[in-house]
Amino acid sequence: MGQPQTSTRRPRWAAGTALAAALVVVSSGCGLGGSSASADRLQLEPISVSSPQLRDGAALPSDYSCKGSVGNPPLRWSGVPNGTKSVAIVVDNNSRTGGEVNWVVFDIDPRTNEVAEGSVPVGAVEGSTTGGKAGYAPPCRTQENYRFTVYALNARVDLAKGASLEKTLKSIAGKTIAWGRLTTAHIE
């Protein structure tokens, strides 16, 4: 698929989704679950996100959609700040007809800087998707944009596999110190 592309685009908010609510909390610097707001949280550091199989703004290869059988695409990231205690990945879309979360992985070791195709990093935990199941839920909406967002966290999420989407996203939001994103335009 050519050279990997990187992106540190800021999010477009989707009203009504749990992810949007969680991301609004992150960007506003408001803390959840005992975290306190501080001036340094208002300007989050960017993380560079890339993939050998995805290009920012290009189509999501069908192998990583419900038409394929590969599972999640490979992702790489850099620029995780010192003091990061864990990393999380959220894959979602921000559809006008109702956003959905296709994958949530958290408690990734902060020394890890990639996830391989169709796999989860050793020791990481998968939370529930919009469909209520843990694991990668391949995207199916062919005309939607899919966002692959990597978050650096100041603490572990410490939830069990399959933890509720709302609880997981709130925990990630309250611990985020940096993030970056790669966005695909639609499914090929």
Side-chain angles (χ1 to χ4, degrees), residues 61-152:
S62 61
D63 288 347
Y64 306 111
S65 75
C66 61
K67 297 176 187 175
S69 60
V70 176
N72 62 280
L75 293 173
R76 297 176 181 152
W77 55 90
S78 62
V80 172
N82 291 335
T84 298
K85 302 298 185 205
S86 70
V87 172
I89 300 170
V90 176
V91 177
D92 75 307
N93 71 11
N94 62 340
S95 172
R96 291 184 190 130
T97 60
E100 62 185 7
V101 175
N102 300 87
W103 197 30
V104 180
V105 183
F106 54 89
D107 290 345
I108 299 170
D109 186 304
R111 296 169 295 186
T112 300
N113 62 4
E114 67 183 330
V115 59
E117 179 179 84
S119 71
V120 176
V122 173
V125 180
E126 293 178 298
S128 292
T129 63
T130 302
K133 294 183 180 179
Y136 184 74
C140 290
R141 297 178 183 181
T142 58
Q143 297 305 309
E144 298 294 338
N145 295 338
Y146 290 93
R147 306 179 302 185
F148 296 80
T149 309
V150 176
Y151 298 93

Side-chain angles (χ1 to χ4, degrees), residues 25-31 35-44 154 174 176-177:
V25 169
V26 169
S27 69
S28 69
C30 297
S35 299
S36 61
S38 64
D40 62 345
R41 296 223 28 216
L42 295 175
Q43 295 296 322
L44 299 176
N154 63 6
T176 297
I177 57 175

